[in-house]
Amino acid sequence: MKVGGGPPPSSLCAWVVLLILVESGEPYRTPYDQEQGQNRESTDSRLDSRTDTRDYHRDARPDTRDYHRDARPDTWDYHRDASEVRGKECQRCCEPGEEVRTQSADPQYPQHYPQYQAVPQINITILKGEKGESGQRGPYGKSGKSGQSGPRGPNGIKGTKGSIGTPGDPCKVQYAAFSVGRKKAIHSNDYYQTLVFDTELVNLYGHFNMFTGKFYCYVPGIYYFSLNVHTWNQKETYVHVMHNEREVVILYAQSSDRSIMQSQSLMLELEREDQVWVRLFKGERENAIFSDDFDTYITFNGHLIKPKSEG
């Protein structure tokens, strides 16, 4: 039956039912929308105020998504392009208990997407704070090993002439010297006999004792000594120069028809209180030294060459 030449009542009822289904059902969702919807469902599960409503739509109209996916391919492409654009945009995310703000390119099919907010990332390594106070000085470390000596440096500049110093003590020079002689002749006995002198020529500081015929050392050092005698005709001359009790050198002359002058000299290193003297050999043979009461034929001399204190 037709009313007013329009479509039959059955067709009109079908269109009304279809319109009711479209208005009350969920909008068409792209594959991207499905993935976002799953994420949103996970987030919305924590929101008590919207849990029942979303479960209702998810359970009540499962076939509508398939219907729209098959019936509207152009719309699917459109939403796919729009979703790619929206995926590149930053939108604010919702907090727990806060409704998610939706934004859709098509008002007829609103889409529920979480909004993201760009959070600035700060590289804290480039931040530099104010300079702190200096810390306390730490303890000294152990001394290292001594290095090798470096090469000698160049000579420095010559300095200025210094001032004249104070005068020093006068130089203390030590001396020792003697020279003695004998004018009387002497013959040997049965024992060793010390040759005593009767004439004092030089006796500095009295170091030579005229009574004992010996020189006593008071200044240690090196000394020079010499002995001169006159031999007797047809007799031997045999004497020693003694250092303390030790025979050092000998003066000897064989018997002859004529008399001659004989001499002996030496150097000795003496210590303090050492003695030097002349001894006549004992009379095993005819032994004598010639002289007269007027002339000096026998002499004994000695002097200090270098004191020991001078090094």
Side-chain angles (χ1 to χ4, degrees):
M1 175 180 176
K2 297 182 180 180
V3 182
S10 58
S11 300
L12 180 60
C13 291
W15 281 104
V16 171
V17 172
L18 181 61
L19 181 60
I20 292 173
L21 292 175
V22 171
E23 291 295 333
S24 61
E26 290 183 2
Y28 171 74
R29 298 177 65 182
T30 63
Y32 174 81
D33 297 337
Q34 294 178 4
E35 182 179 356
Q36 294 295 327
Q38 294 176 1
N39 296 333
R40 185 170 66 255
E41 290 173 0
S42 176
T43 304
D44 294 342
S45 62
R46 295 189 299 268
L47 304 177
D48 298 335
S49 61
R50 299 180 61 88
T51 302
D52 298 337
T53 305
R54 289 171 183 170
D55 293 339
Y56 169 76
H57 287 287
R58 182 167 58 250
D59 299 334
R61 305 298 297 271
D63 298 333
T64 307
R65 298 173 189 172
D66 299 335
Y67 170 77
H68 286 287
R69 183 182 299 114
D70 299 334
R72 302 182 62 180
D74 297 336
T75 308
W76 183 86
D77 295 334
Y78 168 78
H79 283 286
R80 182 184 60 186
D81 299 337
S83 63
E84 292 177 358
V85 175
R86 287 193 299 270
K88 298 180 181 180
E89 297 178 353
C90 296
Q91 298 180 357
R92 181 178 179 276
C93 297
C94 60
E95 297 294 336
E98 182 181 357
E99 292 186 357
V100 180
R101 297 182 181 179
T102 59
Q103 183 178 359
S104 176
D106 191 353
Q108 185 177 0
Y109 304 98
Q111 302 295 328
H112 299 279
Y113 298 103
Q115 294 184 0
Y116 301 95
Q117 182 178 2
V119 179
Q121 300 294 328
I122 301 176
N123 187 1
I124 62 175
T125 60
I126 64 174
L127 299 179
K128 183 178 181 181
E130 296 182 357
K131 184 177 181 180
E133 298 180 356
S134 300
Q136 297 181 355
R137 186 172 184 177
Y140 290 98
K142 296 182 179 179
S143 300
K145 296 181 179 180
S146 300
Q148 297 180 355
S149 300
R152 184 175 182 179
N155 295 331
I157 301 175
K158 186 177 181 180
T160 58
K161 187 176 181 180
S163 58
I164 300 175
T166 57
D169 297 333
C171 182
K172 296 179 180 180
V173 181
Q174 295 175 317
Y175 299 96
F178 72 93
S179 179
V180 292
R182 181 182 175 94
K183 294 182 178 180
K184 293 181 180 180
I186 185 172
H187 293 267
S188 63
N189 298 321
D190 294 337
Y191 55 89
Y192 293 108
Q193 184 178 359
T194 301
L195 184 60
V196 179
F197 300 88
D198 54 16
T199 303
E200 182 181 84
L201 303 176
V202 175
N203 190 8
L204 188 61
Y205 308 122
H207 292 178
F208 189 89
N209 192 327
M210 298 295 293
F211 297 98
T212 61
K214 297 181 178 180
F215 170 76
Y216 295 89
C217 176
Y218 294 98
V219 182
I222 299 175
Y223 286 80
Y224 173 81
F225 297 95
S226 65
L227 175 63
N228 300 286
V229 298
H230 191 280
T231 62
W232 205 310
N233 296 342
Q234 304 300 324
K235 296 180 180 180
E236 291 182 341
T237 304
Y238 194 0
V239 295
H240 290 103
V241 177
M242 307 291 294
H243 178 201
N244 296 329
E245 299 299 325
R246 179 172 63 93
E247 300 171 355
V248 181
V249 294
I250 186 173
L251 186 151
Y252 176 76
Q254 292 179 347
S255 61
S256 174
D257 295 339
R258 59 188 182 91
S259 61
I260 57 175
M261 293 292 299
Q262 290 285 86
S263 65
Q264 183 64 281
S265 61
L266 73 158
M267 296 176 64
L268 292 174
E269 183 175 1
L270 304 181
E271 298 294 337
R272 186 176 180 82
E273 296 183 359
D274 281 356
Q275 303 174 12
V276 179
W277 48 289
V278 180
R279 184 186 69 179
L280 191 66
F281 198 77
K282 61 184 178 179
E284 297 177 354
R285 292 171 293 187
E286 190 68 25
N287 184 15
I289 299 175
F290 174 82
S291 186
D292 57 31
D293 296 336
F294 302 100
D295 298 317
T296 304
Y297 289 90
I298 306 169
T299 59
F300 183 40
N301 309 297
H303 65 275
L304 176 64
I305 297 177
K306 183 180 180 181
K308 186 177 181 179
S309 60
E310 294 182 2

